[in-house]
Amino acid sequence: MDREGLEVTDAPQLDKTERFNPHTGEIYGVVPPGVDVSWNYNVGKAWMAPDRVFGERIMALPPRLRRDLLEQIQARAVDGDPAFEQLADQAVMSAAAGKDATGNIRTVGWLQYTVVEQLAVRGAMPGNAAVLVRDRELIPMLKLLDDDFGLDSNFVRRLPATLRDSDAVVWDADDAVLQYLTRLNDQQWIDVSIAPSLADDATVNALPVVLRSNVILGGRIIADTDLDRDRYQVLQGFL
């Protein structure tokens, strides 16, 4: 600036206007006219918006339409999900290296219609149909860290299919959690617990907000003798 003979001036007064997404209703914040808001978001959580909005809109549908849509989602689901498999592989590498979770989160599946309706009957109607998993819960599920009850990495990578094809979905009213149970053999089950409508503190446009989602709390292998059938209310399938 000295070489060019320039001087520092005061910043000009800029008019600002509120920008929002007309498709989702998401408010981006106040920006100057003509400024693109494409980067005005948390890049690490940007993927969540479509699934979260879609999941909320599913729950707002009339029961018959909600049933048809959730059944279509389950019918069209595939075993392989590259985005989730990438998260699972990262979790395995973090566990092997002794590293902590980085805050990554992915959609792992969708609640079944029968589960939603059974929860509604019990006064626990979820506000979202999407099921999410965070790496901070995924990493402790691995056999690398829990040799007795942890899940093999292949099981973790197939978690979406395991939830979709579980033998039973039960409601633990005492802890207000769902348990997705898949028989592993005559003596063992894979048990994945999900908290419906879990409140999660977040920051959007520098403002604190509370987001609610169905979030996986953990997964483990349990013995058939440890399955407390008297405690659970079966929502779908058989124990």
Side-chain angles (χ1 to χ4, degrees):
M1 291 182 67
D2 289 340
R3 184 173 63 251
E4 298 295 333
L6 303 176
E7 296 181 357
V8 177
T9 60
D10 294 332
Q13 184 67 37
L14 298 177
D15 295 328
K16 294 186 178 182
T17 182
E18 189 173 69
R19 294 288 299 275
F20 69 97
N21 186 327
H23 301 291
T24 66
E26 179 184 1
I27 298 175
Y28 293 125
V30 178
V31 296
V35 174
D36 191 350
V37 296
S38 298
W39 292 98
N40 186 27
Y41 63 90
N42 184 322
V43 178
K45 294 185 177 181
W47 71 270
M48 295 172 59
D51 285 348
R52 185 182 301 278
V53 172
F54 186 45
E56 289 177 351
R57 291 184 175 179
I58 289 175
M59 298 307 299
L61 292 172
R64 182 174 178 178
L65 293 178
R66 181 166 60 233
R67 178 196 63 197
D68 292 344
L69 188 51
L70 287 175
E71 289 179 351
Q72 287 183 39
I73 290 174
Q74 299 296 340
R76 295 182 179 182
V78 295
D79 288 350
D81 181 350
F84 175 77
E85 290 175 355
Q86 181 182 24
L87 176 66
D89 291 341
Q90 290 173 346
V92 171
M93 289 188 291
S94 295
K99 296 181 179 179
D100 295 330
T102 59
N104 287 327
I105 182 170
R106 291 288 185 275
T107 302
V108 69
W110 303 83
L111 295 179
Q112 296 90 337
Y113 171 75
T114 52
V115 173
V116 170
E117 295 307 300
Q118 289 292 329
L119 287 176
V121 170
R122 289 162 174 78
M125 183 72 165
N128 203 307
V131 179
L132 311 180
V133 64
R134 302 174 293 198
D135 61 352
R136 74 186 191 199
E137 277 85 26
L138 196 61
I139 292 174
M141 292 166 55
L142 290 162
K143 190 174 182 64
L144 284 168
L145 301 181
D146 187 347
D147 191 55
D148 293 326
F149 306 104
L151 301 178
D152 183 89
S153 59
N154 289 328
F155 285 135
V156 173
R157 294 180 94 249
R158 284 182 47 81
L159 193 55
T162 300
L163 294 180
R164 188 186 70 240
D165 301 328
S166 59
D167 293 298
V169 181
V170 302
W171 175 241
D172 184 345
D174 292 342
D175 292 336
V177 296
L178 292 165
Q179 305 283 1
Y180 278 67
L181 298 164
T182 303
R183 183 170 284 282
L184 189 58
N185 51 51
D186 291 341
Q187 299 178 339
Q188 295 177 309
W189 297 77
I190 297 176
D191 178 12
V192 179
S193 57
I194 297 175
S197 299
L198 180 69
D200 187 23
D201 293 332
T203 301
V204 177
N205 296 322
L207 297 176
V209 297
V210 176
L211 305 177
R212 294 188 179 274
S213 307
N214 309 301
V215 178
I216 289 182
L217 298 178
R220 58 179 181 154
I221 294 176
I222 62 172
D224 186 76
T225 53
D226 293 333
L227 191 60
D228 191 350
R229 289 172 170 82
D230 294 333
R231 178 187 177 101
Y232 298 144
Q233 303 170 31
V234 179
L235 308 184
Q236 177 176 289
F238 302 94
L239 287 181

